[in-house]
Amino acid sequence: MAVVCALVALVALCLPLTTDTTSAQNTTAATQTARTAAEEDCEAPEKQTLSPSSADGDTIRAIKNREGEKRKLIVGVDQNSYRWGYRNPNSGKTAELEGFDIDLVHRIAEDILGDPDAVQFKAIPTDQRIPAIKDGRVDMVVRTMTINCARIADVAFSAPYFKTGQQVLAPKSSPVEGYDDTLAGRRICTAAGSTAYSTLEADKKDGDLPASTDISTTVPNQLDCLVRLQLGEVDAVVTDGALAASQAAQDPTVQLKGDAFTAEYYGVAMKKDADDLVRRVNQILVDYRKDTANGWQASYDHWLSATLGKDAKKSEPPAPQYLRTTG
């Protein structure tokens, strides 16, 4: 198989300000109680986020108070995922980051700081997304990050901004037909810390994946799996169908095999206590989806319609639902 060059890179304080300290404390306590209960009884993690608000809280004020060149939104992104977050070598000398996720980052920066380019991008591998948030290296991560029950114990998520599902990618000539018994005796590659790996691990333990399937190959970045597949070091890749479709567009010798076998949602990830930022991002997402000229649909048409199809409805998440809090 000819090796195709992969694109590898060169909100409770977000309520209106009030002098009523008791009311603010009650609201914060109610938010924490609702969030804790949601984590303990997690069935629909994509619904466990805070209601939208445009108000500034401590987190947003800290971002706005950064001085000079540092007055930017610091965002963890991918720089290797074609059409999502990648450096286009044909975009000029700087090879700026482009893609569906990058469009969303610019929209968030424009809303919070008044400048879509007031962003400091930090490329982070798949398995470093949560550590980067918890360590304070980034304000948020916008990197095809699936909202799931395990992750909401460590970080807070926005409402979903994209719907996808796990899918199998394999050479066109491969006898692998999908996520089924044809994976018996096959070597599968996944990204470390990804939902793909945790799904395969659980399914193998439960007997839903053939016992002879080798899932030991994990890599820091999901795109590395495509390279392993091209080199013949693995027989298949399991990843989000949205990402797999973009990889198939890069390499005409591979294709998606079978249907998606999970339903998952991407969200913007932030620190657990950044309630105001979570609420603000949720408000931005509401407005972004309503903006037919320069919002979600326009970005989908530009970046993803060529690989996922012109009908965006299967990728558009349902109307968001939020945690209920009382104060």
Side-chain angles (χ1 to χ4, degrees):
M1 180 188 302
V3 177
V4 177
C5 292
L7 289 173
V8 178
L10 301 143
V11 231
L13 294 179
C14 183
L15 297 171
L17 294 178
T18 176
T19 57
D20 188 346
T21 303
T22 301
S23 176
Q25 290 175 339
N26 287 342
T27 302
T28 301
T31 298
Q32 185 59 46
T33 299
R35 182 176 277 160
T36 300
E39 291 166 3
E40 292 176 350
D41 186 21
C42 179
E43 294 182 356
E46 70 277 6
K47 300 177 182 178
Q48 298 182 27
T49 188
L50 301 174
S51 58
S53 172
S54 296
D56 289 357
D58 288 348
T59 307
I60 294 176
R61 283 195 290 270
I63 293 171
K64 289 184 173 182
N65 288 336
R66 290 170 181 160
E67 298 181 356
E69 291 296 320
K70 292 184 178 180
R71 191 176 184 272
K72 293 181 178 181
L73 189 69
I74 306 172
V75 186
V77 296
D78 197 352
Q79 62 177 6
N80 301 322
S81 290
Y82 185 49
R83 298 187 180 275
W84 285 91
Y86 75 112
R87 294 191 183 277
N88 184 352
N90 299 317
S91 64
K93 292 181 180 180
T94 57
E96 294 182 355
L97 284 163
E98 298 179 354
F100 187 84
D101 278 348
I102 305 304
D103 281 358
L104 177 56
V105 173
H106 286 304
R107 184 62 167 252
I108 295 171
E110 181 178 22
D111 184 275
I112 293 177
L113 294 173
D115 180 359
D117 295 321
V119 182
Q120 179 184 347
F121 290 109
K122 287 194 173 183
I124 53 175
T126 304
D127 60 357
Q128 287 299 304
R129 292 176 296 188
I130 289 178
I133 295 170
K134 295 179 73 173
D135 295 346
R137 285 178 275 155
V138 298
D139 298 318
M140 62 182 64
V141 167
V142 185
R143 194 189 181 284
T144 57
M145 189 169 179
T146 299
I147 306 167
N148 63 30
C149 294
R151 289 174 179 164
I152 62 174
D154 293 315
V155 297
F157 278 100
S158 70
Y161 67 86
F162 201 87
K163 181 180 179 181
T164 185
Q166 296 299 313
Q167 212 159 351
V168 176
L169 183 74
K172 290 180 178 178
S173 59
S174 169
V176 171
E177 297 177 1
Y179 195 68
D180 52 30
D181 289 343
T182 60
L183 290 175
R186 306 292 176 185
R187 301 161 298 173
I188 300 178
C189 182
T190 57
S194 67
T195 51
Y197 179 77
S198 59
T199 298
L200 266 62
E201 188 178 40
D203 285 354
K204 191 170 183 180
K205 181 179 179 181
D206 295 340
D208 296 326
L209 186 68
S212 60
T213 304
D214 182 352
I215 63 172
S216 63
T217 301
T218 60
V219 293
N221 283 303
Q222 201 282 325
L223 187 66
D224 296 336
C225 280
L226 177 60
V227 177
R228 296 289 185 96
L229 186 64
Q230 292 167 339
L231 294 174
E233 296 177 2
V234 295
D235 303 301
V237 173
V238 172
T239 187
D240 305 342
L243 290 174
S246 292
Q247 292 178 10
Q250 290 177 256
D251 185 348
T253 68
V254 301
Q255 68 181 105
L256 293 169
K257 300 275 190 166
D259 297 326
F261 55 91
T262 64
E264 299 173 5
Y265 300 90
Y266 295 153
V268 179
M270 293 154 277
K271 269 194 173 183
K272 290 283 286 183
D273 59 353
D275 289 2
D276 61 320
L277 188 57
V278 173
R279 291 181 187 276
R280 184 64 162 268
V281 171
N282 281 342
Q283 183 60 60
I284 292 167
L285 288 174
V286 170
D287 299 336
Y288 194 53
R289 290 177 66 174
K290 288 181 180 178
D291 184 354
T292 56
N294 299 296
W296 190 96
Q297 182 67 55
S299 185
Y300 178 94
D301 291 343
H302 182 74
W303 296 112
L304 304 179
S305 60
T307 54
L308 296 178
K310 294 186 180 300
D311 184 5
K313 292 189 182 299
K314 64 180 181 180
S315 300
E316 187 175 10
Q321 298 185 41
Y322 308 103
L323 288 173
R324 293 183 179 181
T325 61
T326 56

